Amino acid sequence: MQHTGDRYSRQERFAPLGREGQQRLAGSHVLIIGAGALGTSIVETLARSGVGHLTIADRDYVEWSNLQRQQLFSEEDARRRLPKAVAAKQRLEAINSEIVIDSHIMDVRVDELEELVRGVDLIMDGTDNFDTRLLINDLAHKHDLPWIYGGCVGSYGITYTILPGKTPCLNCLLGTVPLGGDTCDTAGIIPQAVQMVTAHQTAEAMKLLSGHPEALSNKLVSFDLWRNEWITIGVDHAKMEDCPTCGHQRTYPYLSASNLEKTDVLCGRDTVQIRPGSKRFLDLAETADRLSKLGEGIVDANPFLVSFQLESKRMVIFADGRVLVHGTKDIPEARSLYHRYFG
């Protein structure tokens, strides 16, 4: 394997970072939740920058509509319906073979997060829903880990760096700062909004990881590229003393079973995800064989998932028991299909 000593030389010549900062990056471990538009941009930047250990978790697979903005993926990934975590790892290993890249095909909930945060220095938000972000928020405060929130839709983007014990948490912000209600399903999205959000997220990440917290923005940043609007907001006043996540008497409400969702309508997709209430592990080959014998639809499989086409609906089954029901946003209808074939 060929190693080039000047790989990070241009970065090290940036005086605030230097060689010492680069060494700190090499010794850092970052968890990226979500490998969609935000996640792929984040993880590619951190990989190219030499962050030594990257862990990616994502529940979905690559589709053609992803290629417009999810920069790690190719047409071949979409043709093969590769899980995003797998496709991202393959591409990242071709970009930087000198770092450690772990990838997990999973829907991240409390148990999964508790495992993933072990040994991590920073959590990056690459998700598309507030249910998962509020889980991240609770776990980050429980384990005293910084995390960097980011979101985008249309031409609008927003980001904020959350430091447990110092800044307001996401739960605080939801009560005082309008974070928007549109999704990429209702408003679409342009890739430049993604890139602007992740530029801020990864710049803040490098400040933290290289040992320069004094350089952090300490403000919530929002913008609209189409309208040429740019705002930075001081949100220190939003911190609530009685916040159940970051206040004096913390209960971490989003870690309790009563707040866990088992079904999600996926952002930008005519799709419902159904997640079993208890852990289960499917033999995908056996599942594909069983569905094929029904003679009710077209079955296609790869080592990571099974696709089952039923007229206007398509079900995609993962080894952890999750099923994506494409062709509907109606949760009862999706559940009916799920129970018909999976009990």
Side-chain angles (χ1 to χ4, degrees), residues 71-319:
Q71 62 190 49
L72 283 180
F73 305 137
S74 68
E75 291 185 353
E76 182 61 18
D77 296 330
R79 271 192 290 269
R80 295 173 61 194
R81 297 191 185 118
L82 275 185
K84 291 181 180 179
V86 172
K89 177 179 171 67
Q90 290 177 354
R91 175 62 178 144
L92 291 168
E93 287 177 340
I95 289 171
N96 192 343
S97 61
E98 299 177 355
I99 63 174
V100 176
I101 301 162
D102 296 324
S103 68
H104 302 273
I105 308 168
M106 63 167 56
D107 184 29
V108 175
R109 287 295 184 262
V110 176
D111 291 344
E112 291 85 355
L113 264 179
E114 287 282 10
E115 292 289 327
L116 291 172
V117 298
R118 293 178 182 177
V120 161
D121 300 300
L122 174 67
I123 305 172
M124 301 293 287
D125 173 21
T127 69
D128 60 5
N129 68 88
F130 275 95
D131 286 335
T132 305
R133 288 178 179 127
L134 288 167
L135 283 180
I136 294 170
N137 191 53
D138 271 8
L139 253 297
H141 283 79
K142 178 181 176 182
H143 293 278
D144 195 29
L145 287 171
W147 74 283
I148 303 178
Y149 158 68
C152 52
V153 64
S155 55
Y156 172 80
I158 186 169
T159 180
Y160 183 62
T161 300
I162 297 173
L163 306 176
K166 297 179 180 179
T167 68
C169 75
L170 184 63
N171 207 23
C172 295
L173 295 181
L174 286 175
T176 57
V177 179
L179 298 180
D182 279 331
T183 68
C184 49
D185 189 28
T186 59
I189 190 167
I190 58 173
Q192 293 84 355
V194 175
Q195 294 155 6
M196 186 67 75
V197 170
T198 59
H200 281 277
Q201 286 181 289
T202 54
E204 292 280 278
M206 289 181 68
K207 294 171 189 176
L208 276 171
L209 298 173
S210 66
H212 292 285
E214 76 284 352
L216 292 169
S217 165
N218 297 315
K219 294 184 184 298
L220 184 147
V221 176
S222 70
F223 58 85
D224 190 315
L225 293 177
W226 206 260
R227 296 179 180 177
N228 302 304
E229 296 172 351
W230 184 278
I231 303 172
T232 58
I233 307 171
V235 293
D236 288 348
H237 66 282
K239 188 168 177 58
M240 301 186 297
E241 296 299 320
D242 60 349
C243 175
T245 296
C246 70
H248 293 312
Q249 296 183 329
R250 303 178 182 184
T251 59
Y252 307 118
Y254 297 96
L255 303 186
S256 67
S258 61
N259 283 313
L260 295 180
E261 294 288 337
K262 302 303 180 189
T263 57
D264 302 293
V265 178
L266 301 191
C267 175
R269 310 270 293 282
D270 197 22
T271 300
V272 174
Q273 175 183 253
I274 299 177
R275 186 175 189 261
S278 58
K279 283 189 176 181
R280 61 188 297 190
F281 298 94
L282 298 178
D283 182 324
L284 293 179
E286 185 277 332
T287 299
D289 183 62
R290 179 172 61 84
L291 293 174
S292 296
K293 290 177 178 176
L294 294 176
E296 296 181 12
I298 300 171
V299 178
D300 189 18
N302 64 34
F304 310 103
L305 53 84
V306 176
S307 174
F308 184 36
Q309 182 73 49
L310 291 162
E311 297 183 350
S312 62
K313 305 291 187 296
R314 181 162 60 91
M315 304 176 74
V316 175
I317 304 100
F318 294 86

Side-chain angles (χ1 to χ4, degrees), residues 33-41 58 66 69-71 73 84 126 194:
I33 305 296
L38 292 174
T40 53
S41 181
D58 189 275
N66 301 150
R69 66 198 180 281
Q70 299 184 17
Q71 62 190 49
F73 305 137
K84 291 181 180 179
V194 175

